[in-house]
Amino acid sequence: MQSTAATFDPKDFRRALGMFGTGVTIVTTRADNGEPVGITANSFNSVSLEPPMVLWSLAKNARSLPVFQNAQTWNVHILSNEQEALSNRFARAGEDKFSGLPLDSQDSHAPLLQDCSARFQCKTAFQYDGGDHIIFVGKVTGYDATPRPPLLYVTGGYALASRKSGEIASEPAADTNRAYSENLIGYLLGRAHFQVLNGIRKPMSEQGMTDTDFYVMSLLTVQQPQTPEQIASHVDYTGIDIGSIALQSLIAKGLLEESPQQPKALQLTQQGNESILHVLAAAKAVEADIIDSLGEMEAATLRNLLKKAISATDPGLPKLWQARAAA
Ligand SMILES: Cc1cc2nc3c(=O)[nH]c(=O)nc-3n(C[C@H](O)[C@H](O)[C@H](O)COP(=O)(O)O)c2cc1C
């Protein structure tokens, strides 16, 4: 477990350092010939509030080193959780990293990238030798920040943030049966699903719709008409076995009808269309409330984890959704 300096294995040392989670930044500047230069760096850190100062370090073998050593100014961009591709682009040596990127800055200044979580405009204050890196310390001359959730980097990979505080997030005592069941992922998913759908049960019952009706009808808003077999195979992914009775009952309620163009295939009636749009509007409001209470950062983390749980348990994706994802 323990290593001394003499026996350091570089890979192992790097792995140990990777236990320290960071954000991800791109630092940019401009060469004397006007060429924009930038690299991905997670060595960024705050240094001082008064005067405002930050630091980061650049490998001595980086192609951009001479440019940064000569530069009077540089910009640090804290990347948002949607800028992973940009991070990878600026981490590859030799690419035309700025090709096609819209910038906020004028030609003579260090490039300012768009859509980041925060940006700091800096003036070089000090440069220090730091082993195989040069440490740049800058005075912050301007900054801006947005509510965009930040991208993180930990244990050698990108990550999303989720706050750990809060009553529900706290771990119940480990030695009780209650603690065991309250932490079961299946239980938590089931309960979250039930509670989230609670917000649309009232409008559903006003429209005379069961949970199954809701799945079938919202599916038909994506693509219609569909044969009963197609509907069954798509709805199957939500765990619901519709059978012919549910479809017959939707027809009897005047919400579905046979398509005049494609016999045996079903489509929404005008009344069905109005009903499902009403419920979908309520579903959108529920979604907005959840995002509001979680915040964008945790909503993005939750989506990521749910998608991971889905693909970990069944990587299959119904063709309907594949077609829409490719469109
Ligand atoms: C998440 C991440 C963080 C990085 N942090 C640093 C860093 O702090 N300092 C550094 O010199 N290189 C860092 N790198 C590697 C550089 O981005 C990479 O070597 C880049 O190609 C250097 O560009 P250049 O050779 O064109 O100057 C990081 C790469 C990644 C993916």
Side-chain angles (χ1 to χ4, degrees), residues 29-36 72-73 75 103 105-112:
T29 191
R30 206 172 277 278
D32 286 344
N33 65 3
E35 190 197 333
Q72 307 286 314
T73 61
N75 295 330
L103 300 176
S105 48
Q106 275 137 27
D107 284 353
S108 58
H109 293 95
L112 261 183

Side-chain angles (χ1 to χ4, degrees), residues 19-41:
M19 291 297 170
F20 185 61
T22 66
V24 182
T25 75
I26 289 174
V27 189
T28 60
T29 191
R30 206 172 277 278
D32 286 344
N33 65 3
E35 190 197 333
V37 169
I39 77 140
T40 300

Side-chain angles (χ1 to χ4, degrees), residues 38-314:
I39 77 140
T40 300
N42 69 339
S43 52
F44 173 77
N45 223 319
S46 54
V47 174
S48 160
L49 290 177
E50 188 52 56
M53 294 175 98
V54 296
L55 68 72
W56 64 289
S57 62
L58 179 59
K60 284 182 180 168
N61 63 4
R63 285 169 7 123
S64 54
L65 181 76
V67 180
F68 277 107
Q69 282 181 311
N70 280 333
Q72 307 286 314
T73 61
W74 32 269
N75 295 330
V76 180
H77 306 78
I78 305 213
L79 299 188
S80 83
N81 65 1
E82 292 182 357
Q83 293 181 309
E84 191 177 321
L86 202 62
S87 168
N88 289 333
R89 187 203 281 214
F90 278 79
R92 278 192 286 267
E95 280 210 2
D96 182 3
K97 300 177 181 177
F98 289 85
S99 160
L101 279 188
L103 300 176
D104 273 347
S105 48
Q106 275 137 27
D107 284 353
S108 58
H109 293 95
L112 261 183
L113 306 175
Q114 297 181 344
D115 302 329
C116 305
S117 293
R119 306 185 294 192
F120 299 93
Q121 290 159 269
C122 306
K123 234 176 136 166
T124 306
F126 306 104
Q127 292 183 30
Y128 299 109
D129 188 274
D132 55 10
H133 280 60
I134 297 289
I135 302 160
F136 292 90
V137 179
K139 185 156 181 214
V140 181
T141 54
Y143 73 93
D144 56 16
T146 70
R148 288 189 183 89
L151 180 64
L152 304 185
Y153 198 77
V154 68
T155 56
Y158 294 109
L160 300 174
S162 162
R163 283 199 192 288
K164 213 166 171 278
S165 58
E167 215 174 294
I168 292 174
S170 68
E171 305 276 325
D175 59 349
T176 63
N177 285 335
R178 192 173 141 256
Y180 172 68
S181 59
E182 276 184 3
N183 276 328
L184 276 179
I185 292 170
Y187 162 75
L188 292 170
L189 284 174
R191 187 169 162 196
H193 177 250
F194 176 74
Q195 287 180 204
V196 166
L197 281 192
N198 249 349
I200 59 167
R201 288 217 166 84
K202 188 159 174 271
M204 271 167 56
S205 81
E206 281 166 8
Q207 303 296 321
M209 250 184 242
T210 63
D211 282 15
T212 307
D213 295 348
F214 171 72
Y215 285 120
V216 171
M217 292 172 73
S218 53
L219 173 73
L220 289 171
T221 64
V222 179
Q223 184 186 303
Q224 62 176 345
Q226 290 189 49
T227 63
E229 293 74 31
Q230 286 171 320
I231 295 173
S233 76
H234 289 134
V235 174
D236 192 43
Y237 276 82
T238 56
I240 286 177
D241 179 8
I242 49 169
S244 60
I245 297 165
L247 295 180
Q248 289 308 323
S249 122
L250 276 163
I251 294 168
K253 284 191 259 186
L255 299 171
L256 288 196
E257 64 189 2
E258 202 171 301
S259 156
Q261 282 84 32
Q262 198 185 326
K264 295 214 175 110
L266 296 170
Q267 64 184 30
L268 295 162
T269 61
Q270 194 184 338
Q271 184 200 341
N273 202 39
E274 282 165 18
S275 298
I276 189 64
L277 289 183
H278 183 75
V279 178
L280 286 176
K284 273 196 180 151
V286 167
E287 177 86 3
D289 282 350
I290 294 171
I291 293 172
D292 218 36
S293 71
L294 289 176
E296 283 292 346
M297 184 172 79
E298 292 192 2
T301 308
L302 180 61
R303 272 187 217 107
N304 182 52
L305 287 176
L306 289 173
K307 284 179 188 173
K308 274 191 167 177
I310 289 168
S311 80
T313 46
D314 182 357

